[in-house]
Amino acid sequence: MSSNIPESAIKGFADAVSYDSHRPSYPIEVVDDLLAKLQVRGVNHARIVDVGAGTGKLSELLAARDEDYEIIAVEPHEEMRAQCAAKRLRGVKVVDGVANNMPVRTQSADAVVVAQVGLRTLQLSTIPSITKY
């Protein structure tokens, strides 16, 4: 699926290891509030789809929680996806995909999250596609 990624993004994120080591994570309080709003905070084994997971910054925080989430990290960029997979995060399955074409069964997710994905990557027209999961 990487062919759907703009060439500038393919080149710009090619050094995923460096990107991952320099990019800050998300504040834990914000993630906790998001999970509460999505009604999965405190829900053991909830399935969460992380769209545009990149190197797994959000997936990392989700995997570290006590709820033992099942996380599907969807990322189209090969190097970013490889960096996410290399972390071997508990409960995280890393897959190739984009918002409107994810290898996730319809109606199988308890929550779908999209954190810091560029508008060029995630078009408003993909929102209906995401809601079917």
Side-chain angles (χ1 to χ4, degrees), residues 31-106:
V31 173
D32 193 57
D33 188 48
L34 172 66
L35 295 172
K37 286 181 175 31
L38 293 171
Q39 300 178 350
V40 292
R41 182 175 68 190
V43 178
N44 292 330
H45 310 291
R47 176 180 284 170
I48 300 175
V49 179
D50 182 3
V51 180
T55 61
K57 290 293 186 179
L58 181 58
S59 290
E60 222 170 340
L61 296 176
L62 297 174
R65 293 180 60 93
D66 292 335
E67 289 94 342
D68 197 24
Y69 291 132
E70 177 187 345
I71 303 150
I72 302 171
V74 181
E75 174 55 46
H77 192 285
E78 185 176 354
E79 286 83 3
M80 299 287 269
R81 191 172 60 250
Q83 177 63 19
C84 184
K87 293 178 180 181
R88 298 181 185 269
L89 300 170
R90 176 182 58 118
V92 177
K93 177 181 178 184
V94 182
V95 299
D96 185 12
V98 293
N100 61 354
N101 188 12
M102 297 187 281
V104 179
R105 283 181 303 123
T106 302

Side-chain angles (χ1 to χ4, degrees), residues 9-22 55 77 79-80 83:
I10 292 172
K11 290 179 182 177
F13 294 114
D15 186 0
V17 173
S18 181
Y19 172 87
D20 190 50
S21 67
H22 291 94
T55 61
H77 192 285
E79 286 83 3
M80 299 287 269
Q83 177 63 19

